[in-house]
Amino acid sequence: MSLPLLTTAFLLTVTLCYSMRCWLSPFGDCRKCDGMGHALKADRKGRLKRGRDCRRCHATGKRIRIGRWIYNRAARTYRAGTR
């Protein structure tokens, strides 16, 4: 196989896998709190305690994937334009 054909096949495979993942599981773990919904902080003795709620995910621990966000925005624009 030539290099451009191999590169195209690889990129197509990666794109299809990511779109399938966005379709099956539109929400992923929050990157800021690692899916816990809150921060961890240590007290003066070094024991971990629950910190503040995560502002990015609003203490749910989940966020919408970028691919799903793009799909939702495109679908909303399409629906608004076809009224």
Side-chain angles (χ1 to χ4, degrees), residues 28-66:
D29 289 339
C30 179
R31 289 185 299 262
K32 187 173 183 180
C33 64
D34 294 325
M36 294 184 63
H38 56 82
L40 290 177
K41 65 181 197 178
D43 61 0
R44 296 191 327 176
K45 292 184 180 180
R47 292 182 294 213
L48 291 177
K49 292 176 51 177
R50 180 188 167 109
R52 289 185 166 177
D53 288 343
C54 180
R55 294 187 312 174
R56 181 179 289 175
C57 65
H58 305 288
T60 62
K62 296 294 181 184
R63 62 162 178 88
I64 194 159
R65 294 187 194 278
I66 294 171

